Amino acid sequence: DQLQLLKISVDRSSDEVFWMDFDGSIIYVNDAACQTTGYSRDELLSMKIFELDPDFSPEVWEASAVILREQKTRFITTRHRCKNGTIIDVEIVAVYVTKDNREYSFAFVRDITGRKQNEAALRESEEKYRTLVEKAREAIAIVQDWNIVFVNGSGAQILDHPAEEITGRPFMDFIWPDDRGMVQNLHRGRESGEAVPDAYDFRVIGPKERPVWVLISAAQISWQ
């Protein structure tokens, strides 16, 4: 009864489940594997993993099997080619199993195509945002724990230093000495939640160590 319940659980698992022998032949698949790939169970059981995975040639499979034999468990990110030609991204947890002196790979497979697409869209959005910030005519800087962690090209130009020489330094280093007390008090007030102006002007140390008047619009943000 327990074995029957276990088989029903695996057959109906939402993740794809595969058993393969070490020559790459697929010897078991569950319902989810058929639904995701579009192949029938009989079709999958007549295939080798190389026909399903475009990234796993026989040579790659052989090398992977050697590593699995040593490590016993592996986490792999790869791709599967569905019956209709669609390529999906998958995560695989493969486990090494031996029975009657034969070697097998037992694998849970999860379709992560949607997650990959979201990650790609997020990277594209971040790249566009970074380009917008870098190309902005206004100086933009991010200060964390009183240190400058980012400055764009316009900010670097005003301060007359390469951006890589500015980041990591205390922002007070770049404030004109006579204005440091005022800026410091406003910054501390903002950190403590006091009502301080969002915009105010002061001087920074510009080219040739001369003062340059700037109008700053500051906001406190937090992220994890």
Side-chain angles (χ1 to χ4, degrees):
D1 289 344
Q2 290 179 336
L3 290 175
Q4 184 64 21
L5 289 173
L6 178 60
K7 183 179 186 305
I8 292 172
S9 299
V10 173
D11 281 341
R12 298 182 181 178
S13 169
S14 60
D15 288 337
E16 302 169 57
V17 178
F18 287 79
W19 278 83
M20 292 157 288
D21 62 23
F22 263 46
D23 68 2
S25 297
I26 300 171
I27 59 176
Y28 167 83
V29 293
N30 69 345
D31 296 341
C34 299
Q35 294 167 3
T36 301
T37 64
Y39 289 101
S40 69
R41 181 172 274 101
D42 288 341
E43 287 174 322
L44 285 171
L45 296 181
S46 69
M47 297 167 61
K48 290 185 179 291
I49 191 61
F50 330 126
E51 301 172 72
L52 185 64
D53 192 326
D55 298 329
F56 263 67
S57 64
E59 294 76 20
V60 172
W61 167 259
E62 184 176 349
S64 179
V66 171
I67 297 173
L68 180 61
R69 185 183 293 118
E70 295 173 352
Q71 298 182 350
K72 309 306 181 188
T73 302
R74 290 196 69 198
F75 178 84
I76 305 168
T77 301
T78 184
R79 301 180 300 162
H80 280 173
R81 180 185 292 110
C82 299
K83 186 175 181 178
N84 64 6
T86 301
I87 301 293
I88 62 173
D89 296 293
V90 295
E91 282 181 346
I92 300 174
V93 178
V95 180
Y96 176 76
V97 179
T98 58
K99 187 178 187 303
D100 298 331
N101 296 320
R102 294 193 61 184
E103 298 177 303
Y104 301 94
S105 173
F106 170 65
F108 280 102
V109 182
R110 177 166 296 178
D111 182 357
I112 58 169
T113 305
R115 191 182 80 192
K116 286 285 189 178
Q117 291 173 342
N118 290 338
E119 290 173 352
L122 179 61
R123 284 194 299 271
E124 182 180 359
S125 177
E126 290 175 343
E127 289 172 2
K128 289 180 179 178
Y129 176 75
R130 177 171 288 275
T131 300
L132 179 65
V133 170
E134 288 287 1
K135 300 298 182 182
R137 296 180 62 183
E138 294 80 8
I140 299 174
I142 299 175
V143 174
Q144 184 177 23
D145 297 329
W146 294 72
N147 293 320
I148 298 173
V149 296
F150 170 81
V151 63
N152 69 346
S154 295
Q157 185 175 10
I158 289 175
L159 298 177
D160 196 34
H161 288 280
E164 57 270 21
E165 292 182 7
I166 298 173
T167 54
R169 291 178 58 182
F171 78 93
M172 295 300 296
D173 287 356
F174 301 96
I175 308 299
W176 191 252
D178 292 344
D179 294 345
R180 287 176 182 171
M182 180 267 293
V183 174
Q184 188 176 55
N185 290 335
L186 288 171
H187 189 70
R188 284 176 174 167
R190 179 173 289 104
E191 285 187 330
S192 62
E194 297 178 12
V196 299
D198 290 331
Y200 50 92
D201 51 23
F202 59 91
R203 290 165 293 182
V204 297
I205 301 173
K208 298 182 180 180
E209 301 296 316
R210 294 177 179 176
V212 175
W213 281 97
V214 297
L215 173 66
I216 186 172
S217 178
Q220 187 166 341
I221 60 174
S222 61
W223 64 82
Q224 294 181 346

